Amino acid sequence: MARRARRPLVAGNWKMNGTRSSAREVKALGRLVAKSQTKPSCEIMICPPATLVHHIRDAARGTPVRVGGQDCHFAQGGAHTGDISADMLKDAGARAVIVGHSERRSDHDESDAVVCAKAEAVHACGLTAIVCVGETETQRDDGATLRIVGAQLKGSLPASATAKNTVIAYEPVWAIGTGRTPTNEDVAKVHQHLRRRLVALLGEAEGEGTRVLYGGSVKPGNAVELMGIDNVDGALVGGASLTAKDFFGIIAAYIR
Ligand code: PGA
């Protein structure tokens, strides 16, 4: 079967950073993209804290920058003090929601089953779930990377997953915010494994069509190399997504 083209996605995860004044970075990013002679071939997204989704969506109006959430509850609503539903994020202007980020998995003890239920809730309201997987340093040292990410993928993907409503992000936990990245060979190996697992789980067309992002210390200086690896369909970016200059420097890997 012919391979379905996958449009890359470069998504910024602001984590617990940003205030309303951060809208200026989004506006600056919009200007940088508008000024570029060649338009980026990737989709661009920023996932700010929930308090800013609406504000950043407004700031991004008229630019190709889309907005997403960083997490949601698996229920549509109800007695869950402090939580937020996928529907609420959608109402505020989000197109996608990150689920199962390693910081959620560790800070909030989120299991694959919880992540799976969250992804299903995201799909149920018509948004895209960005499902994160990744091994810890100990697991990597034990040679367990492929087994761990394969199990996380299987356990975190709901039956509702399709190439259209799901994006996978491979983020080695030890590479997040550390400035360290795996070798190109290691990234290629994990992404190829995830691709094979996706085909096994979703079937050929959906598995080949699902985007698999790399995340963990992606910077302007390593983006071209990382984004050039087979089966890497974009990036999930933390620290470097906070300023327009750095984030655009990564998006520039898709301007050529
Ligand atoms: P980083 O974070 O780019 O700062 O390493 C990536 C992430 O956690 O998504």
Side-chain angles (χ1 to χ4, degrees), residues 13-32:
N13 171 12
W14 280 7
K15 309 192 179 184
M16 201 168 71
N17 296 292
T19 56
R20 285 191 301 155
S21 65
S22 313
R24 67 170 170 253
E25 294 299 329
V26 177
K27 291 201 162 112
L29 177 65
R31 284 194 297 273
L32 286 168

PDB file of all heavy atoms in Angstrom, residues 13-32:
ATOM      1  N   ASN A  13       5.111  22.976  24.056  1.00  0.00           N
ATOM      2  CA  ASN A  13       4.493  22.680  25.350  1.00  0.00           C
ATOM      3  C   ASN A  13       5.064  23.669  26.363  1.00  0.00           C
ATOM      4  O   ASN A  13       6.209  23.536  26.777  1.00  0.00           O
ATOM      5  CB  ASN A  13       4.837  21.221  25.721  1.00  0.00           C
ATOM      6  CG  ASN A  13       4.434  20.866  27.142  1.00  0.00           C
ATOM      7  OD1 ASN A  13       3.703  21.602  27.800  1.00  0.00           O
ATOM      8  ND2 ASN A  13       4.925  19.729  27.619  1.00  0.00           N
ATOM      9  N   TRP A  14       4.253  24.658  26.719  1.00  0.00           N
ATOM     10  CA  TRP A  14       4.752  25.709  27.621  1.00  0.00           C
ATOM     11  C   TRP A  14       4.847  25.245  29.074  1.00  0.00           C
ATOM     12  O   TRP A  14       5.376  25.951  29.917  1.00  0.00           O
ATOM     13  CB  TRP A  14       3.841  26.932  27.538  1.00  0.00           C
ATOM     14  CG  TRP A  14       4.110  27.792  26.333  1.00  0.00           C
ATOM     15  CD1 TRP A  14       4.949  27.513  25.298  1.00  0.00           C
ATOM     16  CD2 TRP A  14       3.549  29.084  26.060  1.00  0.00           C
ATOM     17  NE1 TRP A  14       4.940  28.534  24.384  1.00  0.00           N
ATOM     18  CE2 TRP A  14       4.092  29.512  24.829  1.00  0.00           C
ATOM     19  CE3 TRP A  14       2.636  29.907  26.728  1.00  0.00           C
ATOM     20  CZ2 TRP A  14       3.746  30.746  24.259  1.00  0.00           C
ATOM     21  CZ3 TRP A  14       2.285  31.126  26.158  1.00  0.00           C
ATOM     22  CH2 TRP A  14       2.845  31.540  24.937  1.00  0.00           C
ATOM     23  N   LYS A  15       4.275  24.065  29.369  1.00  0.00           N
ATOM     24  CA  LYS A  15       4.258  23.553  30.751  1.00  0.00           C
ATOM     25  C   LYS A  15       3.672  24.633  31.685  1.00  0.00           C
ATOM     26  O   LYS A  15       2.793  25.370  31.271  1.00  0.00           O
ATOM     27  CB  LYS A  15       5.658  23.106  31.157  1.00  0.00           C
ATOM     28  CG  LYS A  15       6.260  22.158  30.110  1.00  0.00           C
ATOM     29  CD  LYS A  15       7.486  21.451  30.555  1.00  0.00           C
ATOM     30  CE  LYS A  15       7.952  20.524  29.440  1.00  0.00           C
ATOM     31  NZ  LYS A  15       9.082  19.707  29.798  1.00  0.00           N
ATOM     32  N   MET A  16       4.179  24.754  32.920  1.00  0.00           N
ATOM     33  CA  MET A  16       3.592  25.729  33.856  1.00  0.00           C
ATOM     34  C   MET A  16       4.331  27.063  33.732  1.00  0.00           C
ATOM     35  O   MET A  16       4.937  27.561  34.682  1.00  0.00           O
ATOM     36  CB  MET A  16       3.643  25.185  35.290  1.00  0.00           C
ATOM     37  CG  MET A  16       2.632  25.878  36.212  1.00  0.00           C
ATOM     38  SD  MET A  16       2.424  25.028  37.787  1.00  0.00           S
ATOM     39  CE  MET A  16       3.971  25.374  38.604  1.00  0.00           C
ATOM     40  N   ASN A  17       4.318  27.598  32.516  1.00  0.00           N
ATOM     41  CA  ASN A  17       4.990  28.865  32.228  1.00  0.00           C
ATOM     42  C   ASN A  17       4.063  29.732  31.391  1.00  0.00           C
ATOM     43  O   ASN A  17       3.348  29.217  30.531  1.00  0.00           O
ATOM     44  CB  ASN A  17       6.277  28.617  31.422  1.00  0.00           C
ATOM     45  CG  ASN A  17       7.299  27.819  32.195  1.00  0.00           C
ATOM     46  OD1 ASN A  17       7.861  28.281  33.181  1.00  0.00           O
ATOM     47  ND2 ASN A  17       7.523  26.585  31.773  1.00  0.00           N
ATOM     48  N   GLY A  18       4.151  31.029  31.630  1.00  0.00           N
ATOM     49  CA  GLY A  18       3.422  31.959  30.785  1.00  0.00           C
ATOM     50  C   GLY A  18       2.330  32.703  31.528  1.00  0.00           C
ATOM     51  O   GLY A  18       1.702  32.189  32.455  1.00  0.00           O
ATOM     52  N   THR A  19       2.166  33.954  31.113  1.00  0.00           N
ATOM     53  CA  THR A  19       1.078  34.796  31.611  1.00  0.00           C
ATOM     54  C   THR A  19       0.471  35.469  30.378  1.00  0.00           C
ATOM     55  O   THR A  19       0.939  35.229  29.258  1.00  0.00           O
ATOM     56  CB  THR A  19       1.615  35.895  32.560  1.00  0.00           C
ATOM     57  OG1 THR A  19       2.618  36.635  31.853  1.00  0.00           O
ATOM     58  CG2 THR A  19       2.206  35.299  33.829  1.00  0.00           C
ATOM     59  N   ARG A  20      -0.511  36.303  30.575  1.00  0.00           N
ATOM     60  CA  ARG A  20      -1.149  36.908  29.404  1.00  0.00           C
ATOM     61  C   ARG A  20      -0.139  37.672  28.540  1.00  0.00           C
ATOM     62  O   ARG A  20      -0.284  37.763  27.335  1.00  0.00           O
ATOM     63  CB  ARG A  20      -2.308  37.802  29.837  1.00  0.00           C
ATOM     64  CG  ARG A  20      -3.520  36.943  30.253  1.00  0.00           C
ATOM     65  CD  ARG A  20      -4.739  37.772  30.425  1.00  0.00           C
ATOM     66  NE  ARG A  20      -4.514  38.800  31.434  1.00  0.00           N
ATOM     67  CZ  ARG A  20      -5.170  39.947  31.494  1.00  0.00           C
ATOM     68  NH1 ARG A  20      -6.106  40.213  30.621  1.00  0.00           N
ATOM     69  NH2 ARG A  20      -4.902  40.814  32.442  1.00  0.00           N
ATOM     70  N   SER A  21       0.915  38.216  29.202  1.00  0.00           N
ATOM     71  CA  SER A  21       1.904  38.974  28.424  1.00  0.00           C
ATOM     72  C   SER A  21       2.669  38.076  27.440  1.00  0.00           C
ATOM     73  O   SER A  21       3.283  38.562  26.490  1.00  0.00           O
ATOM     74  CB  SER A  21       2.885  39.680  29.368  1.00  0.00           C
ATOM     75  OG  SER A  21       3.637  38.710  30.068  1.00  0.00           O
ATOM     76  N   SER A  22       2.609  36.762  27.647  1.00  0.00           N
ATOM     77  CA  SER A  22       3.309  35.844  26.724  1.00  0.00           C
ATOM     78  C   SER A  22       2.694  35.850  25.334  1.00  0.00           C
ATOM     79  O   SER A  22       3.286  35.312  24.387  1.00  0.00           O
ATOM     80  CB  SER A  22       3.272  34.416  27.279  1.00  0.00           C
ATOM     81  OG  SER A  22       3.622  34.398  28.637  1.00  0.00           O
ATOM     82  N   ALA A  23       1.518  36.454  25.204  1.00  0.00           N
ATOM     83  CA  ALA A  23       0.886  36.558  23.881  1.00  0.00           C
ATOM     84  C   ALA A  23       1.809  37.285  22.901  1.00  0.00           C
ATOM     85  O   ALA A  23       1.738  37.051  21.693  1.00  0.00           O
ATOM     86  CB  ALA A  23      -0.443  37.289  23.999  1.00  0.00           C
ATOM     87  N   ARG A  24       2.692  38.131  23.439  1.00  0.00           N
ATOM     88  CA  ARG A  24       3.580  38.862  22.513  1.00  0.00           C
ATOM     89  C   ARG A  24       4.516  37.902  21.776  1.00  0.00           C
ATOM     90  O   ARG A  24       4.892  38.142  20.636  1.00  0.00           O
ATOM     91  CB  ARG A  24       4.361  39.963  23.238  1.00  0.00           C
ATOM     92  CG  ARG A  24       5.354  39.454  24.232  1.00  0.00           C
ATOM     93  CD  ARG A  24       6.278  40.549  24.766  1.00  0.00           C
ATOM     94  NE  ARG A  24       7.005  39.939  25.867  1.00  0.00           N
ATOM     95  CZ  ARG A  24       6.799  40.196  27.134  1.00  0.00           C
ATOM     96  NH1 ARG A  24       5.947  41.116  27.499  1.00  0.00           N
ATOM     97  NH2 ARG A  24       7.471  39.563  28.068  1.00  0.00           N
ATOM     98  N   GLU A  25       4.892  36.790  22.422  1.00  0.00           N
ATOM     99  CA  GLU A  25       5.754  35.806  21.745  1.00  0.00           C
ATOM    100  C   GLU A  25       4.990  35.129  20.602  1.00  0.00           C
ATOM    101  O   GLU A  25       5.556  34.826  19.565  1.00  0.00           O
ATOM    102  CB  GLU A  25       6.249  34.745  22.737  1.00  0.00           C
ATOM    103  CG  GLU A  25       7.177  35.282  23.818  1.00  0.00           C
ATOM    104  CD  GLU A  25       8.474  35.898  23.268  1.00  0.00           C
ATOM    105  OE1 GLU A  25       8.964  35.448  22.222  1.00  0.00           O
ATOM    106  OE2 GLU A  25       8.979  36.851  23.906  1.00  0.00           O
ATOM    107  N   VAL A  26       3.693  34.907  20.827  1.00  0.00           N
ATOM    108  CA  VAL A  26       2.877  34.266  19.800  1.00  0.00           C
ATOM    109  C   VAL A  26       2.700  35.205  18.610  1.00  0.00           C
ATOM    110  O   VAL A  26       2.781  34.796  17.450  1.00  0.00           O
ATOM    111  CB  VAL A  26       1.517  33.843  20.392  1.00  0.00           C
ATOM    112  CG1 VAL A  26       0.621  33.233  19.340  1.00  0.00           C
ATOM    113  CG2 VAL A  26       1.741  32.873  21.551  1.00  0.00           C
ATOM    114  N   LYS A  27       2.493  36.487  18.928  1.00  0.00           N
ATOM    115  CA  LYS A  27       2.358  37.479  17.849  1.00  0.00           C
ATOM    116  C   LYS A  27       3.674  37.596  17.078  1.00  0.00           C
ATOM    117  O   LYS A  27       3.686  37.670  15.850  1.00  0.00           O
ATOM    118  CB  LYS A  27       1.955  38.828  18.432  1.00  0.00           C
ATOM    119  CG  LYS A  27       0.523  38.796  18.980  1.00  0.00           C
ATOM    120  CD  LYS A  27      -0.049  40.207  19.079  1.00  0.00           C
ATOM    121  CE  LYS A  27      -1.552  40.176  19.199  1.00  0.00           C
ATOM    122  NZ  LYS A  27      -2.085  40.612  20.459  1.00  0.00           N
ATOM    123  N   ALA A  28       4.784  37.593  17.820  1.00  0.00           N
ATOM    124  CA  ALA A  28       6.106  37.674  17.168  1.00  0.00           C
ATOM    125  C   ALA A  28       6.331  36.451  16.290  1.00  0.00           C
ATOM    126  O   ALA A  28       6.871  36.550  15.177  1.00  0.00           O
ATOM    127  CB  ALA A  28       7.205  37.789  18.220  1.00  0.00           C
ATOM    128  N   LEU A  29       5.896  35.289  16.774  1.00  0.00           N
ATOM    129  CA  LEU A  29       6.035  34.059  15.987  1.00  0.00           C
ATOM    130  C   LEU A  29       5.224  34.177  14.696  1.00  0.00           C
ATOM    131  O   LEU A  29       5.711  33.840  13.607  1.00  0.00           O
ATOM    132  CB  LEU A  29       5.561  32.863  16.820  1.00  0.00           C
ATOM    133  CG  LEU A  29       5.568  31.503  16.123  1.00  0.00           C
ATOM    134  CD1 LEU A  29       6.985  31.081  15.768  1.00  0.00           C
ATOM    135  CD2 LEU A  29       4.920  30.447  17.027  1.00  0.00           C
ATOM    136  N   GLY A  30       3.999  34.673  14.825  1.00  0.00           N
ATOM    137  CA  GLY A  30       3.145  34.869  13.646  1.00  0.00           C
ATOM    138  C   GLY A  30       3.822  35.779  12.624  1.00  0.00           C
ATOM    139  O   GLY A  30       3.776  35.517  11.423  1.00  0.00           O
ATOM    140  N   ARG A  31       4.502  36.835  13.120  1.00  0.00           N
ATOM    141  CA  ARG A  31       5.185  37.765  12.210  1.00  0.00           C
ATOM    142  C   ARG A  31       6.361  37.073  11.510  1.00  0.00           C
ATOM    143  O   ARG A  31       6.597  37.261  10.325  1.00  0.00           O
ATOM    144  CB  ARG A  31       5.669  39.007  12.969  1.00  0.00           C
ATOM    145  CG  ARG A  31       4.555  39.996  13.295  1.00  0.00           C
ATOM    146  CD  ARG A  31       5.106  41.353  13.727  1.00  0.00           C
ATOM    147  NE  ARG A  31       5.889  41.269  14.958  1.00  0.00           N
ATOM    148  CZ  ARG A  31       5.359  41.347  16.190  1.00  0.00           C
ATOM    149  NH1 ARG A  31       4.059  41.508  16.346  1.00  0.00           N
ATOM    150  NH2 ARG A  31       6.125  41.272  17.251  1.00  0.00           N
ATOM    151  N   LEU A  32       7.110  36.267  12.272  1.00  0.00           N
ATOM    152  CA  LEU A  32       8.258  35.561  11.675  1.00  0.00           C
ATOM    153  C   LEU A  32       7.798  34.605  10.576  1.00  0.00           C
ATOM    154  O   LEU A  32       8.413  34.520   9.517  1.00  0.00           O
ATOM    155  CB  LEU A  32       9.022  34.774  12.762  1.00  0.00           C
ATOM    156  CG  LEU A  32       9.868  35.619  13.718  1.00  0.00           C
ATOM    157  CD1 LEU A  32      10.336  34.781  14.909  1.00  0.00           C
ATOM    158  CD2 LEU A  32      11.067  36.234  12.990  1.00  0.00           C
TER     159      LEU A  32
END
